[in-house]
């Protein structure tokens, strides 16, 4: 049993798993992905999912999906559903192993009772504020709670009454009796249970005491027979507590291993902050194409393959770093370059009349669907007297090195003919509103028999045949590489890019796109990759620009003179 690709260097988690199998510490591999259903999954979760499900698969093991639903106040069914949808979309399957920490509430309660009986847990009447005060700091030891030495009988009675609902929220907690002087603050008599009179999305009103993450997580891992509990680095300081509970309970003991979480430049990946973006309407929802959520990326046009490739390339490390978002975009371009059909769409149209074609003339030209994939075949496009081209492909006074259309200049229309501009028609304000051109019938297909060359090929659509569309151009949601880099008194919202969405209406796309399905992705030649938005169901064809064709990552790589790198150290 080894990871499938023998040429890949093995990261430290895979190495640890191999070691554990060799030493027979475990004889199988069983991991889990444990999201809290308090928000939508984001690209950071995708990294964790690829690690959890990926490693299990490579070692012929299993991976559970377990909702860590121990806080009824923040958790919702909407999130439970979106999380499942997103993991499936990403390409992973938990089969029949869908679990909830709340499935174990009764068992966890029994574990707590066991610890009370063993003199390892006690009911504490200190308020949350007092608990914090008694906890001490990194430099000062904590003080013992005056309730620390209650008898087991008294603790059992009080804990049962906590469960029975006799006490108000916050009035008491159940705490582990460990060490108030420990150098690790997590071991200073951590809270195991708190009182919350709230309705839980699954257990309804059955409970008013809820276990803390630290008491629920390891025990849930143990119940499910998890071998390797893989989580991000912020849980490293919790590992001694994870181990302490399992040892104190003398139950099956999984192994927790931590890896660096994903940080992406110009992006926030905290659910709390993403929730703020949604609630305060800086974006249109969790699936806004500017969001780093999996649902946002999907709507934007990201493929699961591109995201998995990204997660593969960034690898698994023990130290935190910031990955350049340009790498994520690069992975998408690579994937779509292979797969996306090419089409022509004009985003900012300029009317072109071919004067030497008769009114009503229509002919068909042949276009290649994907030069990267011969099997994708060809299609025909109508070519006629009135066309649209991109405004930007014409300059009345072309600057040096501008090779596209200008008065008297000739260019190639992709898959069609050479055309030459004879006149630019202007409106009263002096703006160019139409070009009068001639075409050369001998250049059909794009080459001149006399060997004459043109320096530019531009895209176009036939005006009478084209389909109207709306196009949404997205830019980074945050202007700063580190959105948290703000002056005192401001927060990450101050770094928002006010121009992260540019809406273009009155665009024209080739006629074949009249009937397209939401989620389909095309390359608009010369412009980028565009994904059909679900809003198209409302009558107006809407496209999201997933990514432009300009590859910043390739530039970065070239500048660094190296192979695709994982990331930069923060
Ligand atoms: P947040 O702190 O934003 O609320 P979280 O870590 O609490 O995120 P969970 O739902 O608890 O969110 O996360 C489920 C799993 O995903 C955890 O094991 C966590 O380690 C992992 N995870 C969360 N964010 C990242 C990230 N940015 N990179 C890698 N793994 C992550
Ligand atoms: Mg969490």
């Amino acid at each position: 049993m080894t990871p499938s690709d023998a040429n890949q260097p093995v990261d430290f988690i895979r190495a640890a798993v191999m070691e554990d199998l060799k030493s027979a510490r475990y004889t199988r591999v069983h991991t889990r992905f444990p999201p809290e259903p308090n928000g939508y999954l984001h690209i950071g979760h995708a990294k964790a999912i690829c690690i959890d499900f990926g490693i299990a698969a490579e070692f012929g093991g299993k991976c559970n999906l377990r909702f860590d639903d121990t806080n009824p106040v923040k958790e919702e069914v909407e999130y439970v559903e979106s999380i499942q949808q997103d993991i499936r979309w990403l390409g992973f399957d938990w089969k029949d192993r869908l679990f909830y920490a709340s499935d174990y509430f009764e068992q966890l309660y029994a574990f707590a009772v066991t610890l009370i009986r063993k003199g390892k847990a006690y009911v504490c009447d200190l308020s949350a504020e007092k608990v914090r005060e008694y906890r001490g700091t990194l430099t000062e030891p904590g003080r013992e709670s005056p309730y620390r030495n209650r008898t087991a009988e008294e603790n059992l009675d009080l804990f049962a009454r906590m469960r029975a609902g006799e006490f108000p929220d916050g009035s008491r907690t159940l705490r582990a009796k460990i060490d108030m002087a420990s150098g690790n603050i997590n071991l200073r008599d951590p809270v195991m249970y708190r009182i919350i009179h709230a309705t839980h999305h699954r257990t309804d009103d059955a409970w008013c005491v809820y276990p803390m993450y630290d008491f629920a997580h390891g025990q849930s891992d143990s119940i499910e027979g998890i071998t390797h509990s893989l989580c991000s680095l912020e849980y490293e300081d919790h590992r001694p507590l994870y181990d302490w509970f399992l040892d104190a309970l003398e139950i099956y003991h999984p192994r927790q291993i931590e890896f660096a979480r994903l940080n992406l430049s110009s992006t926030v990946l905290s659910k709390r902050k993403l929730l703020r973006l949604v609630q305060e309407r800086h974006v249109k929802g969790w699936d806004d194409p500017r969001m780093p959520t999996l649902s946002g990326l999907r709507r934007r046009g990201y493929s699961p393959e591109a995201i998995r490739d990204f997660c593969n390339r960034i690898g698994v490390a023990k130290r935190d770093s910031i990955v350049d978002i340009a790498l994520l975009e690069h992975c998408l371009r690579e994937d779509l370059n292979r797969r996306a059909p090419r089409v022509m769409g004009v985003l900012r149209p300029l009317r072109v009349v071919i004067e030497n074609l008769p009114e009503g003339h229509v002919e068909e030209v042949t276009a290649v669907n994907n030069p990267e994939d011969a099997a994708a075949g060809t299609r025909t496009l109508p070519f006629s007297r009135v066309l649209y081209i991109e405004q930007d492909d014409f300059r009345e006074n072309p600057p040096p090195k501008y090779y596209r259309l200008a008065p008297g200049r000739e260019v190639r229309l992709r898959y069609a003919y050479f055309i030459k501009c004879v006149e630019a028609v202007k409106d009263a304000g002096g703006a160019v509103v139409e070009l009068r051109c001639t075409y050369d019938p001998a250049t059909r297909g794009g080459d001149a028999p006399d060997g004459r060359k043109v320096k530019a090929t531009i895209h176009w659509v036939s005006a009478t045949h084209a389909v109207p569309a709306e196009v949404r151009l997205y830019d980074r949601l945050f202007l700063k590489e580190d959105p948290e880099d703000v002056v005192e008194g401001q927060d990450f919202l101050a770094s928002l890019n006010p121009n992260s969405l540019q809406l273009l209406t009155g665009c024209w796309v080739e006629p074949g796109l009249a009937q397209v399905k939401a989620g389909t992705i095309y390359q608009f030649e010369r412009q980028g990759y565009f994904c059909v938005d679900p809003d198209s169901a409302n009558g107006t064809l809407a496209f999201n620009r997933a990514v432009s064709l300009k590859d910043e990552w390739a530039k970065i790589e070239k500048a660094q003179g190296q192979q695709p790198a994982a990331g930069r150290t923060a």
Side-chain angles (χ1 to χ4, degrees):
M1 288 198 284
T2 50
S4 50
D5 186 351
N7 298 321
Q8 285 271 112
V10 168
D11 59 66
F12 76 98
I13 298 183
R14 287 170 170 90
V17 171
M18 283 157 104
E19 188 56 40
D20 286 345
L21 292 172
K22 210 169 127 200
S23 70
R25 175 171 175 179
Y26 302 104
T27 54
R28 65 208 160 79
V29 175
H30 200 154
T31 60
R32 84 290 166 266
F33 175 65
E36 184 179 355
N38 62 351
Y40 280 60
L41 295 183
H42 54 60
I43 182 78
H45 292 115
K47 171 178 178 174
I49 292 168
C50 288
I51 292 173
D52 294 332
F53 282 92
I55 289 182
E58 285 164 32
F59 287 90
K62 294 173 179 166
C63 180
N64 296 356
L65 170 59
R66 183 199 317 139
F67 285 103
D68 173 22
D69 57 346
T70 51
N71 184 353
V73 184
K74 290 201 236 152
E75 295 158 7
E76 285 173 30
V77 176
E78 177 194 349
Y79 301 138
V80 169
E81 283 164 4
S82 75
I83 287 170
Q84 295 184 57
Q85 186 191 2
D86 289 347
I87 300 173
R88 283 214 184 86
W89 174 76
L90 200 54
F92 297 102
D93 186 358
W94 53 91
K95 303 267 169 62
D96 57 349
R97 295 180 308 277
L98 168 61
F99 301 111
Y100 295 82
S102 56
D103 292 340
Y104 311 134
F105 280 171
E106 198 61 58
Q107 174 70 70
L108 293 171
Y109 183 86
F111 283 150
V113 167
T114 303
L115 291 187
I116 293 174
R117 288 219 171 89
K118 289 185 170 196
K120 290 177 188 277
Y122 62 96
V123 173
C124 178
D125 301 359
L126 292 179
S127 64
E129 196 188 322
K130 285 281 174 206
V131 168
R132 217 172 301 125
E133 194 185 309
Y134 275 63
R135 193 180 293 136
T137 63
L138 284 173
T139 50
E140 281 168 58
R143 278 180 294 145
E144 295 191 349
S145 160
Y147 306 98
R148 198 172 200 258
N149 295 311
R150 281 175 160 151
T151 62
E153 286 66 38
E154 192 184 355
N155 283 320
L156 287 172
D157 172 61
L158 284 171
F159 190 45
R161 288 164 62 196
M162 278 169 65
R163 175 180 183 169
E166 282 189 33
F167 310 120
D169 287 6
S171 59
R172 287 187 162 87
T173 54
L174 183 74
R175 298 175 68 180
K177 195 169 176 175
I178 309 182
D179 178 6
M180 289 309 291
S182 172
N184 182 339
I185 291 187
N186 292 304
L187 295 179
R188 295 184 188 169
D189 290 12
V191 171
M192 294 164 57
Y193 269 89
R194 62 242 204 264
I195 303 173
I196 305 174
H197 289 269
T199 303
H200 185 277
H201 71 106
R202 299 194 80 231
T203 57
D204 219 6
D205 293 322
W207 294 87
C208 63
V209 289
Y210 289 93
M212 299 296 290
Y213 167 86
D214 283 315
F215 189 64
H217 197 76
Q219 282 53 256
S220 302
D221 283 347
S222 178
I223 292 167
E224 291 175 15
I226 299 304
T227 56
H228 297 87
S229 183
L230 312 174
C231 59
S232 40
L233 221 48
E234 69 270 24
Y235 296 104
E236 192 175 17
D237 290 343
H238 294 245
R239 181 165 17 102
L241 182 54
Y242 181 99
D243 291 334
W244 188 90
F245 281 130
L246 294 167
D247 288 339
L249 287 165
E250 299 175 87
I251 55 177
Y252 165 76
H253 199 138
R255 174 178 181 189
Q256 175 176 307
I257 303 175
E258 308 86 15
F259 57 85
R261 51 193 293 138
L262 169 67
N263 301 299
L264 259 192
S265 64
S266 311
T267 309
V268 298
L269 288 183
S270 141
K271 279 190 279 188
R272 194 174 47 78
K273 288 179 191 147
L274 296 176
L275 181 63
R276 266 192 78 192
L277 291 173
V278 173
Q279 284 180 337
E280 295 174 21
R281 296 179 184 269
H282 300 291
V283 294
K284 295 190 176 120
W286 283 99
D287 69 344
D288 186 298
R290 291 165 291 181
M291 290 282 272
T293 51
L294 295 182
S295 52
L297 292 168
R298 175 166 64 231
R299 189 163 182 175
R300 174 84 169 249
Y302 271 81
S303 58
E305 289 83 358
I307 294 177
R308 291 202 307 263
D309 178 36
F310 170 75
C311 291
N312 234 347
R313 289 196 201 200
I314 57 174
V316 186
K318 272 191 216 186
R319 276 184 59 211
D320 275 323
S321 67
I322 300 172
V323 175
D324 197 313
I325 192 167
L327 176 60
L328 179 62
E329 294 167 349
H330 174 79
C331 292
L332 179 61
R333 269 188 209 101
E334 280 211 344
D335 181 44
L336 296 181
N337 180 45
R338 275 189 296 266
R339 298 191 300 137
R342 273 57 171 172
V343 296
M344 293 200 277
V346 174
L347 304 191
R348 298 171 181 89
L350 174 60
R351 204 176 129 92
V352 169
V353 178
I354 313 281
E355 293 190 320
N356 54 342
L357 269 178
E359 300 269 354
H361 174 91
V362 184
E363 63 181 290
E364 288 189 329
V365 297
T366 302
V368 174
N369 287 335
N370 185 352
E372 301 288 320
D373 176 11
T378 59
R379 67 192 184 286
T380 55
L381 296 171
F383 175 78
S384 66
R385 180 176 150 87
V386 183
L387 313 171
Y388 291 121
I389 64 165
E390 214 68 61
Q391 286 168 18
D392 205 35
D393 284 336
F394 172 80
R395 292 287 160 84
E396 196 176 13
N397 302 298
K401 293 195 179 162
Y402 184 92
Y403 298 121
R404 291 169 270 167
L405 212 51
R409 203 180 275 172
E410 194 171 44
V411 297
R412 176 187 295 109
L413 292 179
R414 180 85 158 142
Y415 299 123
Y417 294 94
F418 286 8
I419 59 166
K420 184 187 253 177
C421 176
V422 292
E423 186 195 349
V425 182
K426 296 180 185 173
D427 65 11
V432 175
V433 290
E434 184 182 286
L435 302 181
R436 310 295 290 190
C437 297
T438 55
Y439 87 118
D440 178 354
T443 58
R444 190 180 155 95
D447 287 304
D450 63 7
R452 168 171 113 249
K453 298 279 180 228
V454 288
K455 279 192 168 160
T457 301
I458 65 173
H459 60 273
W460 55 277
V461 292
S462 165
T464 42
H465 303 91
V467 184
E470 155 183 323
V471 171
R472 300 150 185 193
L473 301 179
Y474 298 103
D475 197 354
R476 309 253 154 98
L477 188 52
F478 293 95
L479 289 171
K480 294 212 171 119
E481 272 200 30
D482 175 6
E484 304 291 347
D485 176 22
V486 291
V487 298
E488 217 182 298
Q490 292 190 325
D491 63 14
F492 71 105
L493 295 175
S495 310
L496 276 169
N497 176 3
N499 301 314
S500 58
L501 168 60
Q502 193 186 351
L503 179 64
L504 301 180
T505 55
C507 314
W508 295 98
V509 297
E510 60 176 70
L513 298 185
Q515 305 289 332
V516 286
K517 241 179 62 215
T520 318
I521 303 160
Y522 296 94
Q523 184 194 97
F524 286 10
E525 292 211 19
R526 301 175 62 223
Q527 314 201 70
Y529 296 96
F530 293 77
C531 180
V532 182
D533 191 87
D535 284 350
S536 301
N538 305 332
T540 311
L541 201 50
F543 288 92
N544 298 317
R545 184 174 67 193
V547 68
S548 69
L549 292 179
K550 200 172 69 204
D551 193 338
E552 285 169 54
W553 181 254
K555 250 189 280 164
I556 293 169
E557 241 173 33
K558 215 168 151 195
Q560 293 172 337
Q562 60 183 41
Q563 285 298 307
R568 306 179 263 121
T569 302

